[in-house]
Amino acid sequence: GAVVSQHPSRVICKSGTSVKIECRSLDFQATTMFWYRQFPKQSLMLMATSNEGSKATYEQGVEKDKFLINHASLTLSTLTVTSAHPEDSSFYICSASKETQYFGPGTRLLVL
Amino acid sequence: AQSVSQHNHHVILSEAASLELGCNYSYGGTVNLFWYVQYPGQHLQLLLKYFSGDPLVKGIKGFEAEFIKSKFSFNLRKPSVQWSDTAEYFCAVTPDYTSGTYKYIFGTGTRLKVLA
């Protein structure tokens, strides 16, 4: 149990385009979902906390207009990187939570 | 500010050696504590967690951790490591779960390499 999926697993896009990443909890309803970035050989950096039906809470320094989060249901949250630039290239990881966070496999984004 | 420290950034062990990875947190209230493992190319997997009760917690794959409240520590141990334990290990703390938001504070991670 407690499986979290992410789609796509890898995406390459041109600078200026937008990219949507989906996070789904497959076998449980998550009250909260979290979005992280992970830089090479570093820990996870929390970007935002997403609760179903309400606005996401962004961490300090994370641009909410650039990283749009929609939490449509208790099993689905999406992160849209708008007008992506090369510096947005990273590994994006979501987690779905009841009391314990269960992590998705991550999405590697490369912006050319 | 609340923080989680993992003092060992890189650890190299031979197979069958014992392992102890340190985790200390700075928060005076009640916390939930977690250890996750990230194998190369894979996603984070939960090894074990502590919410309450017996401070010695047993997890998967022979791992255990001990919560010592007075030391603000939650060290991970394994009596005999295997080559397959090569991975990165993350400690995480939920300092404010009573609010209903189980936001983690992660440690910086410890990269373990086990030599065959």
Side-chain angles (χ1 to χ4, degrees):
Chain A
V3 178
V4 178
S5 70
Q6 273 183 251
H7 179 79
S9 57
R10 307 172 77 95
V11 57
I12 301 173
C13 69
K14 292 182 179 179
S15 186
T17 60
S18 295
V19 174
K20 180 186 283 189
I21 303 169
E22 288 188 351
C23 177
R24 293 180 185 272
S25 56
L26 298 184
D27 51 2
F28 70 102
Q29 292 186 325
T31 51
T32 307
M33 288 185 170
F34 299 87
W35 287 96
Y36 296 85
R37 280 179 81 164
Q38 186 178 30
F39 294 97
K41 300 184 179 181
Q42 294 189 29
S43 187
L44 282 74
M45 183 192 81
L46 179 65
M47 298 174 66
T49 303
S50 171
N51 289 296
E52 185 261 342
S54 62
K55 288 185 180 180
T57 303
Y58 290 82
E59 295 299 301
Q60 193 172 9
V62 178
E63 297 176 60
K64 63 179 181 181
D65 295 330
K66 179 159 190 68
F67 298 101
L68 299 179
I69 292 172
N70 182 273
H71 197 149
S73 74
L74 287 172
T75 59
L76 173 63
S77 177
T78 60
L79 169 69
T80 302
V81 183
T82 62
S83 186
H85 291 287
E87 58 265 29
D88 299 324
S89 298
S90 191
F91 194 54
Y92 292 87
I93 302 173
C94 75
S95 71
S97 173
K98 291 187 285 188
E99 293 177 328
T100 301
Q101 290 188 32
Y102 297 94
F103 289 83
T107 296
R108 190 162 299 281
L109 170 65
L110 177 61
V111 184
L112 302 177
Chain B
Q2 298 158 353
S3 64
V4 177
S5 299
Q6 291 182 243
H7 304 294
N8 317 101
H9 298 296
H10 290 90
V11 174
I12 300 175
L13 295 172
S14 299
E15 274 195 314
S18 64
L19 170 72
E20 180 160 2
L21 301 182
C23 174
N24 288 88
Y25 63 93
S26 62
Y27 182 72
T30 304
V31 295
N32 290 347
L33 299 143
F34 307 84
W35 275 98
Y36 285 84
V37 60
Q38 188 175 31
Y39 297 104
Q42 296 190 30
H43 64 287
L44 271 81
Q45 300 174 38
L46 180 67
L47 271 181
L48 47 80
K49 60 185 177 183
Y50 173 80
F51 283 4
S52 64
D54 189 343
L56 185 61
V57 179
K58 295 197 183 296
I60 61 171
K61 306 188 182 190
F63 286 90
E64 66 178 31
E66 185 174 12
F67 171 48
I68 303 179
K69 190 174 181 179
S70 61
K71 294 185 178 181
F72 299 91
S73 70
F74 189 54
N75 291 356
L76 180 72
R77 300 195 292 248
K78 186 171 184 177
S80 175
V81 294
Q82 301 172 314
W83 177 80
S84 57
D85 292 324
T86 295
E88 187 149 20
Y89 293 80
F90 293 95
C91 178
V93 173
T94 300
D96 189 23
Y97 66 90
T98 55
S99 70
T101 300
Y102 300 96
K103 190 165 79 170
Y104 284 0
I105 298 174
F106 272 99
T108 50
T110 297
R111 199 171 289 270
L112 171 66
K113 184 170 184 177
V114 180
L115 304 174

Short mmCIF file of all heavy atoms in Angstrom, two decimals, chain B residues 53-108:
data_model
loop_
_atom_site.label_atom_id
_atom_site.label_comp_id
_atom_site.label_asym_id
_atom_site.label_seq_id
_atom_site.Cartn_x
_atom_site.Cartn_y
_atom_site.Cartn_z
N GLY B 53 5.57 5.73 22.02
CA GLY B 53 5.74 4.38 22.55
C GLY B 53 7.20 4.00 22.69
O GLY B 53 8.05 4.82 23.01
N ASP B 54 7.49 2.73 22.43
CA ASP B 54 8.84 2.20 22.57
C ASP B 54 9.81 3.01 21.74
O ASP B 54 9.65 3.12 20.53
CB ASP B 54 8.86 0.73 22.13
CG ASP B 54 10.18 0.03 22.45
OD1 ASP B 54 11.19 0.73 22.70
OD2 ASP B 54 10.19 -1.20 22.43
N PRO B 55 10.83 3.58 22.38
CA PRO B 55 11.75 4.44 21.62
C PRO B 55 12.68 3.67 20.69
O PRO B 55 13.35 4.28 19.87
CB PRO B 55 12.54 5.15 22.72
CG PRO B 55 12.44 4.27 23.90
CD PRO B 55 11.10 3.61 23.81
N LEU B 56 12.72 2.37 20.84
CA LEU B 56 13.50 1.55 19.92
C LEU B 56 12.57 1.03 18.85
O LEU B 56 11.67 0.23 19.12
CB LEU B 56 14.18 0.40 20.66
CG LEU B 56 15.13 -0.46 19.83
CD1 LEU B 56 16.28 0.38 19.28
CD2 LEU B 56 15.67 -1.63 20.65
N VAL B 57 12.80 1.51 17.64
CA VAL B 57 11.88 1.21 16.53
C VAL B 57 12.57 0.28 15.55
O VAL B 57 13.72 0.52 15.16
CB VAL B 57 11.49 2.51 15.81
CG1 VAL B 57 10.55 2.20 14.66
CG2 VAL B 57 10.86 3.50 16.77
N LYS B 58 11.87 -0.75 15.15
CA LYS B 58 12.42 -1.65 14.15
C LYS B 58 11.76 -1.37 12.79
O LYS B 58 10.54 -1.16 12.72
CB LYS B 58 12.21 -3.10 14.57
CG LYS B 58 13.00 -3.44 15.83
CD LYS B 58 13.15 -4.92 16.03
CE LYS B 58 13.88 -5.23 17.34
NZ LYS B 58 15.28 -4.71 17.31
N GLY B 59 12.58 -1.36 11.77
CA GLY B 59 12.05 -1.10 10.44
C GLY B 59 12.31 -2.25 9.50
O GLY B 59 12.57 -3.37 9.91
N ILE B 60 12.26 -1.91 8.22
CA ILE B 60 12.46 -2.94 7.22
C ILE B 60 13.94 -3.20 7.01
O ILE B 60 14.79 -2.39 7.40
CB ILE B 60 11.81 -2.54 5.88
CG1 ILE B 60 12.42 -1.25 5.33
CG2 ILE B 60 10.30 -2.40 6.04
CD1 ILE B 60 11.98 -0.91 3.92
N LYS B 61 14.24 -4.34 6.42
CA LYS B 61 15.59 -4.70 5.98
C LYS B 61 16.59 -4.73 7.14
O LYS B 61 17.77 -4.48 6.93
CB LYS B 61 16.07 -3.75 4.88
CG LYS B 61 15.10 -3.69 3.71
CD LYS B 61 15.64 -2.93 2.53
CE LYS B 61 14.57 -2.89 1.43
NZ LYS B 61 15.05 -2.39 0.17
N GLY B 62 16.13 -5.02 8.34
CA GLY B 62 17.03 -5.18 9.48
C GLY B 62 17.47 -3.88 10.13
O GLY B 62 18.34 -3.90 11.00
N PHE B 63 16.91 -2.77 9.72
CA PHE B 63 17.27 -1.49 10.32
C PHE B 63 16.46 -1.24 11.60
O PHE B 63 15.33 -1.68 11.73
CB PHE B 63 17.03 -0.34 9.34
CG PHE B 63 18.03 -0.26 8.23
CD1 PHE B 63 17.82 -0.93 7.04
CD2 PHE B 63 19.20 0.47 8.39
CE1 PHE B 63 18.75 -0.88 6.01
CE2 PHE B 63 20.14 0.54 7.37
CZ PHE B 63 19.91 -0.14 6.18
N GLU B 64 17.07 -0.50 12.50
CA GLU B 64 16.38 -0.04 13.68
C GLU B 64 16.88 1.36 14.03
O GLU B 64 17.93 1.79 13.54
CB GLU B 64 16.59 -0.99 14.87
CG GLU B 64 18.01 -1.06 15.35
CD GLU B 64 18.16 -1.98 16.56
OE1 GLU B 64 17.39 -2.97 16.69
OE2 GLU B 64 19.03 -1.70 17.40
N ALA B 65 16.10 2.05 14.84
CA ALA B 65 16.51 3.38 15.27
C ALA B 65 16.06 3.58 16.70
O ALA B 65 15.04 3.04 17.12
CB ALA B 65 15.93 4.46 14.37
N GLU B 66 16.81 4.38 17.43
CA GLU B 66 16.48 4.65 18.81
C GLU B 66 16.25 6.13 19.01
O GLU B 66 17.12 6.96 18.67
CB GLU B 66 17.58 4.16 19.75
CG GLU B 66 17.22 4.33 21.22
CD GLU B 66 18.23 3.73 22.17
OE1 GLU B 66 19.34 3.38 21.71
OE2 GLU B 66 17.91 3.63 23.37
N PHE B 67 15.12 6.45 19.56
CA PHE B 67 14.78 7.84 19.88
C PHE B 67 15.24 8.11 21.30
O PHE B 67 14.78 7.47 22.25
CB PHE B 67 13.27 8.05 19.76
CG PHE B 67 12.77 9.37 20.26
CD1 PHE B 67 13.37 10.55 19.87
CD2 PHE B 67 11.67 9.44 21.11
CE1 PHE B 67 12.90 11.78 20.33
CE2 PHE B 67 11.19 10.66 21.57
CZ PHE B 67 11.81 11.83 21.19
N ILE B 68 16.14 9.07 21.45
CA ILE B 68 16.59 9.49 22.77
C ILE B 68 16.18 10.94 22.93
O ILE B 68 16.83 11.85 22.41
CB ILE B 68 18.11 9.31 22.96
CG1 ILE B 68 18.50 7.85 22.72
CG2 ILE B 68 18.51 9.73 24.38
CD1 ILE B 68 19.99 7.58 22.85
N LYS B 69 15.10 11.15 23.64
CA LYS B 69 14.51 12.48 23.73
C LYS B 69 15.47 13.48 24.36
O LYS B 69 15.57 14.63 23.92
CB LYS B 69 13.21 12.42 24.53
CG LYS B 69 12.39 13.69 24.49
CD LYS B 69 11.05 13.49 25.18
CE LYS B 69 10.22 14.77 25.11
NZ LYS B 69 8.90 14.59 25.76
N SER B 70 16.18 13.05 25.38
CA SER B 70 17.08 13.96 26.10
C SER B 70 18.23 14.44 25.23
O SER B 70 18.82 15.48 25.49
CB SER B 70 17.63 13.28 27.35
OG SER B 70 18.36 12.12 27.00
N LYS B 71 18.55 13.66 24.21
CA LYS B 71 19.64 14.02 23.31
C LYS B 71 19.13 14.56 21.98
O LYS B 71 19.92 14.85 21.09
CB LYS B 71 20.54 12.81 23.06
CG LYS B 71 21.29 12.34 24.30
CD LYS B 71 22.25 11.20 23.95
CE LYS B 71 23.03 10.77 25.18
NZ LYS B 71 23.99 9.68 24.86
N PHE B 72 17.82 14.64 21.83
CA PHE B 72 17.22 15.08 20.57
C PHE B 72 17.80 14.28 19.40
O PHE B 72 18.14 14.83 18.35
CB PHE B 72 17.47 16.59 20.34
CG PHE B 72 16.89 17.46 21.41
CD1 PHE B 72 17.64 17.80 22.53
CD2 PHE B 72 15.59 17.92 21.31
CE1 PHE B 72 17.10 18.60 23.52
CE2 PHE B 72 15.03 18.72 22.30
CZ PHE B 72 15.79 19.06 23.41
N SER B 73 17.92 12.98 19.61
CA SER B 73 18.55 12.16 18.59
C SER B 73 17.65 11.01 18.15
O SER B 73 16.77 10.56 18.90
CB SER B 73 19.88 11.61 19.08
OG SER B 73 19.67 10.64 20.09
N PHE B 74 17.90 10.55 16.94
CA PHE B 74 17.15 9.42 16.37
C PHE B 74 18.11 8.70 15.43
O PHE B 74 18.00 8.79 14.21
CB PHE B 74 15.91 9.92 15.63
CG PHE B 74 14.96 8.84 15.21
CD1 PHE B 74 14.45 7.93 16.12
CD2 PHE B 74 14.53 8.75 13.88
CE1 PHE B 74 13.55 6.94 15.73
CE2 PHE B 74 13.64 7.76 13.48
CZ PHE B 74 13.15 6.86 14.41
N ASN B 75 19.07 8.00 16.01
CA ASN B 75 20.13 7.37 15.23
C ASN B 75 19.67 6.06 14.60
O ASN B 75 18.95 5.27 15.22
CB ASN B 75 21.35 7.13 16.09
CG ASN B 75 22.03 8.43 16.50
OD1 ASN B 75 21.64 9.50 16.08
ND2 ASN B 75 23.05 8.31 17.33
N LEU B 76 20.12 5.84 13.40
CA LEU B 76 19.78 4.64 12.64
C LEU B 76 20.89 3.61 12.80
O LEU B 76 22.07 3.96 12.71
CB LEU B 76 19.60 4.99 11.16
CG LEU B 76 19.23 3.85 10.22
CD1 LEU B 76 17.79 3.41 10.45
CD2 LEU B 76 19.42 4.28 8.76
N ARG B 77 20.52 2.36 12.97
CA ARG B 77 21.52 1.31 13.17
C ARG B 77 21.16 0.07 12.35
O ARG B 77 19.99 -0.20 12.06
CB ARG B 77 21.62 0.92 14.65
CG ARG B 77 22.02 2.06 15.57
CD ARG B 77 22.43 1.54 16.92
NE ARG B 77 21.30 0.98 17.66
CZ ARG B 77 20.79 1.51 18.77
NH1 ARG B 77 21.28 2.65 19.23
NH2 ARG B 77 19.81 0.94 19.39
N LYS B 78 22.22 -0.65 12.02
CA LYS B 78 22.06 -1.98 11.44
C LYS B 78 23.27 -2.78 11.85
O LYS B 78 24.41 -2.33 11.68
CB LYS B 78 21.94 -1.92 9.91
CG LYS B 78 21.63 -3.28 9.29
CD LYS B 78 21.29 -3.18 7.82
CE LYS B 78 20.90 -4.56 7.28
NZ LYS B 78 20.50 -4.53 5.86
N PRO B 79 23.07 -3.96 12.43
CA PRO B 79 24.20 -4.71 12.98
C PRO B 79 25.19 -5.21 11.92
O PRO B 79 26.38 -5.33 12.20
CB PRO B 79 23.55 -5.88 13.71
CG PRO B 79 22.11 -5.84 13.39
CD PRO B 79 21.78 -4.58 12.71
N SER B 80 24.69 -5.49 10.72
CA SER B 80 25.56 -6.08 9.71
C SER B 80 25.09 -5.62 8.33
O SER B 80 24.04 -6.06 7.85
CB SER B 80 25.53 -7.61 9.81
OG SER B 80 26.29 -8.21 8.77
N VAL B 81 25.85 -4.73 7.72
CA VAL B 81 25.39 -4.17 6.43
C VAL B 81 25.74 -5.10 5.29
O VAL B 81 26.66 -5.92 5.36
CB VAL B 81 26.00 -2.78 6.18
CG1 VAL B 81 25.48 -1.78 7.19
CG2 VAL B 81 27.52 -2.83 6.17
N GLN B 82 24.98 -4.92 4.20
CA GLN B 82 25.22 -5.68 2.98
C GLN B 82 25.52 -4.71 1.85
O GLN B 82 25.18 -3.52 1.93
CB GLN B 82 23.97 -6.50 2.64
CG GLN B 82 23.57 -7.47 3.72
CD GLN B 82 22.23 -8.13 3.44
OE1 GLN B 82 21.28 -7.46 3.07
NE2 GLN B 82 22.16 -9.44 3.61
N TRP B 83 26.09 -5.23 0.80
CA TRP B 83 26.42 -4.40 -0.36
C TRP B 83 25.16 -3.68 -0.88
O TRP B 83 25.21 -2.53 -1.29
CB TRP B 83 27.01 -5.29 -1.44
CG TRP B 83 27.32 -4.56 -2.70
CD1 TRP B 83 28.41 -3.79 -2.98
CD2 TRP B 83 26.51 -4.52 -3.88
NE1 TRP B 83 28.33 -3.27 -4.26
CE2 TRP B 83 27.18 -3.71 -4.83
CE3 TRP B 83 25.28 -5.10 -4.22
CZ2 TRP B 83 26.66 -3.47 -6.09
CZ3 TRP B 83 24.77 -4.86 -5.49
CH2 TRP B 83 25.45 -4.05 -6.41
N SER B 84 24.02 -4.35 -0.76
CA SER B 84 22.77 -3.79 -1.25
C SER B 84 22.26 -2.62 -0.40
O SER B 84 21.27 -1.97 -0.77
CB SER B 84 21.69 -4.87 -1.33
OG SER B 84 21.51 -5.46 -0.06
N ASP B 85 22.90 -2.37 0.71
CA ASP B 85 22.50 -1.22 1.54
C ASP B 85 23.14 0.07 1.05
O ASP B 85 22.86 1.15 1.60
CB ASP B 85 22.91 -1.44 3.01
CG ASP B 85 22.12 -2.56 3.66
OD1 ASP B 85 20.91 -2.70 3.35
OD2 ASP B 85 22.70 -3.30 4.48
N THR B 86 23.97 -0.01 0.03
CA THR B 86 24.54 1.19 -0.57
C THR B 86 23.42 2.09 -1.05
O THR B 86 22.61 1.70 -1.90
CB THR B 86 25.47 0.81 -1.75
OG1 THR B 86 26.58 0.07 -1.24
CG2 THR B 86 25.95 2.05 -2.48
N ALA B 87 23.36 3.29 -0.50
CA ALA B 87 22.24 4.19 -0.77
C ALA B 87 22.48 5.49 -0.04
O ALA B 87 23.49 5.67 0.67
CB ALA B 87 20.92 3.56 -0.29
N GLU B 88 21.53 6.39 -0.18
CA GLU B 88 21.55 7.61 0.60
C GLU B 88 20.42 7.54 1.63
O GLU B 88 19.31 7.11 1.32
CB GLU B 88 21.38 8.84 -0.27
CG GLU B 88 21.58 10.14 0.49
CD GLU B 88 22.15 11.26 -0.36
OE1 GLU B 88 22.05 11.17 -1.60
OE2 GLU B 88 22.68 12.23 0.22
N TYR B 89 20.74 7.95 2.84
CA TYR B 89 19.80 7.83 3.95
C TYR B 89 19.45 9.22 4.47
O TYR B 89 20.33 10.06 4.71
CB TYR B 89 20.41 6.98 5.06
CG TYR B 89 20.60 5.54 4.65
CD1 TYR B 89 21.70 5.16 3.88
CD2 TYR B 89 19.66 4.57 4.98
CE1 TYR B 89 21.85 3.86 3.45
CE2 TYR B 89 19.81 3.25 4.57
CZ TYR B 89 20.90 2.91 3.80
OH TYR B 89 21.05 1.61 3.38
N PHE B 90 18.16 9.44 4.61
CA PHE B 90 17.68 10.75 5.05
C PHE B 90 16.88 10.60 6.34
O PHE B 90 15.98 9.77 6.43
CB PHE B 90 16.77 11.39 4.00
CG PHE B 90 17.48 11.78 2.74
CD1 PHE B 90 17.48 10.92 1.64
CD2 PHE B 90 18.14 12.99 2.64
CE1 PHE B 90 18.13 11.27 0.47
CE2 PHE B 90 18.78 13.35 1.46
CZ PHE B 90 18.78 12.49 0.38
N CYS B 91 17.19 11.45 7.28
CA CYS B 91 16.41 11.56 8.49
C CYS B 91 15.42 12.71 8.30
O CYS B 91 15.75 13.72 7.66
CB CYS B 91 17.36 11.85 9.66
SG CYS B 91 16.55 12.06 11.25
N ALA B 92 14.22 12.57 8.82
CA ALA B 92 13.22 13.63 8.70
C ALA B 92 12.45 13.75 10.01
O ALA B 92 12.23 12.76 10.71
CB ALA B 92 12.28 13.37 7.54
N VAL B 93 12.04 14.96 10.29
CA VAL B 93 11.33 15.25 11.52
C VAL B 93 10.08 16.05 11.18
O VAL B 93 10.13 16.96 10.35
CB VAL B 93 12.23 16.06 12.48
CG1 VAL B 93 11.43 16.51 13.70
CG2 VAL B 93 13.43 15.26 12.89
N THR B 94 8.98 15.69 11.79
CA THR B 94 7.77 16.49 11.68
C THR B 94 7.60 17.21 13.01
O THR B 94 7.18 16.61 13.99
CB THR B 94 6.55 15.60 11.41
OG1 THR B 94 6.75 14.92 10.19
CG2 THR B 94 5.29 16.43 11.31
N PRO B 95 7.92 18.49 13.03
CA PRO B 95 7.93 19.17 14.32
C PRO B 95 6.57 19.68 14.77
O PRO B 95 6.42 20.07 15.91
CB PRO B 95 8.87 20.35 14.08
CG PRO B 95 8.71 20.65 12.63
CD PRO B 95 8.44 19.34 11.96
N ASP B 96 5.59 19.67 13.91
CA ASP B 96 4.34 20.31 14.27
C ASP B 96 3.16 19.52 13.74
O ASP B 96 2.25 20.05 13.13
CB ASP B 96 4.30 21.74 13.73
CG ASP B 96 3.11 22.51 14.29
OD1 ASP B 96 2.60 22.15 15.36
OD2 ASP B 96 2.66 23.46 13.61
N TYR B 97 3.16 18.24 13.98
CA TYR B 97 2.11 17.42 13.41
C TYR B 97 0.77 17.68 14.04
O TYR B 97 -0.26 17.38 13.47
CB TYR B 97 2.47 15.94 13.53
CG TYR B 97 2.52 15.41 14.94
CD1 TYR B 97 1.39 14.89 15.55
CD2 TYR B 97 3.69 15.46 15.67
CE1 TYR B 97 1.42 14.41 16.84
CE2 TYR B 97 3.75 14.98 16.96
CZ TYR B 97 2.61 14.45 17.54
OH TYR B 97 2.65 13.97 18.83
N THR B 98 0.78 18.26 15.23
CA THR B 98 -0.50 18.49 15.91
C THR B 98 -1.37 19.48 15.15
O THR B 98 -2.57 19.53 15.34
CB THR B 98 -0.27 19.00 17.33
OG1 THR B 98 0.56 20.17 17.28
CG2 THR B 98 0.41 17.95 18.18
N SER B 99 -0.77 20.28 14.29
CA SER B 99 -1.56 21.24 13.52
C SER B 99 -2.25 20.56 12.34
O SER B 99 -3.06 21.17 11.67
CB SER B 99 -0.65 22.35 12.99
OG SER B 99 0.20 21.85 11.99
N GLY B 100 -1.90 19.32 12.11
CA GLY B 100 -2.49 18.60 10.98
C GLY B 100 -1.68 18.70 9.72
O GLY B 100 -2.03 18.09 8.71
N THR B 101 -0.63 19.45 9.75
CA THR B 101 0.23 19.58 8.58
C THR B 101 1.52 18.82 8.86
O THR B 101 2.30 19.22 9.70
CB THR B 101 0.56 21.04 8.27
OG1 THR B 101 -0.65 21.73 8.02
CG2 THR B 101 1.46 21.14 7.05
N TYR B 102 1.71 17.73 8.17
CA TYR B 102 2.85 16.88 8.47
C TYR B 102 4.03 17.25 7.59
O TYR B 102 4.57 16.43 6.87
CB TYR B 102 2.44 15.42 8.29
CG TYR B 102 1.31 15.05 9.23
CD1 TYR B 102 -0.01 15.08 8.82
CD2 TYR B 102 1.59 14.68 10.54
CE1 TYR B 102 -1.04 14.76 9.69
CE2 TYR B 102 0.57 14.36 11.41
CZ TYR B 102 -0.74 14.39 10.97
OH TYR B 102 -1.75 14.07 11.84
N LYS B 103 4.45 18.51 7.72
CA LYS B 103 5.56 18.98 6.92
C LYS B 103 6.85 18.46 7.52
O LYS B 103 7.05 18.49 8.73
CB LYS B 103 5.56 20.51 6.92
CG LYS B 103 6.52 21.11 5.93
CD LYS B 103 6.21 22.58 5.70
CE LYS B 103 6.70 23.47 6.79
NZ LYS B 103 6.60 24.91 6.41
N TYR B 104 7.73 17.96 6.66
CA TYR B 104 8.99 17.43 7.13
C TYR B 104 10.07 18.49 7.12
O TYR B 104 10.10 19.36 6.26
CB TYR B 104 9.48 16.31 6.21
CG TYR B 104 8.81 14.97 6.32
CD1 TYR B 104 7.77 14.74 7.20
CD2 TYR B 104 9.22 13.92 5.52
CE1 TYR B 104 7.16 13.50 7.28
CE2 TYR B 104 8.62 12.67 5.59
CZ TYR B 104 7.60 12.47 6.47
OH TYR B 104 6.99 11.24 6.53
N ILE B 105 11.00 18.32 8.04
CA ILE B 105 12.30 18.95 7.91
C ILE B 105 13.28 17.81 7.69
O ILE B 105 13.39 16.90 8.52
CB ILE B 105 12.67 19.75 9.17
CG1 ILE B 105 11.66 20.87 9.39
CG2 ILE B 105 14.07 20.33 9.02
CD1 ILE B 105 11.87 21.62 10.68
N PHE B 106 13.96 17.85 6.56
CA PHE B 106 14.90 16.79 6.20
C PHE B 106 16.31 17.12 6.65
O PHE B 106 16.72 18.28 6.66
CB PHE B 106 14.94 16.60 4.68
CG PHE B 106 13.91 15.66 4.14
CD1 PHE B 106 12.74 16.13 3.58
CD2 PHE B 106 14.11 14.29 4.20
CE1 PHE B 106 11.78 15.26 3.08
CE2 PHE B 106 13.16 13.41 3.70
CZ PHE B 106 11.99 13.90 3.15
N GLY B 107 17.04 16.09 7.00
CA GLY B 107 18.47 16.24 7.16
C GLY B 107 19.12 16.29 5.79
O GLY B 107 18.47 16.08 4.76
N THR B 108 20.41 16.54 5.78
CA THR B 108 21.13 16.71 4.52
C THR B 108 21.46 15.38 3.84
O THR B 108 21.90 15.36 2.71
CB THR B 108 22.43 17.48 4.73
OG1 THR B 108 23.14 16.88 5.82
CG2 THR B 108 22.15 18.93 5.07
#
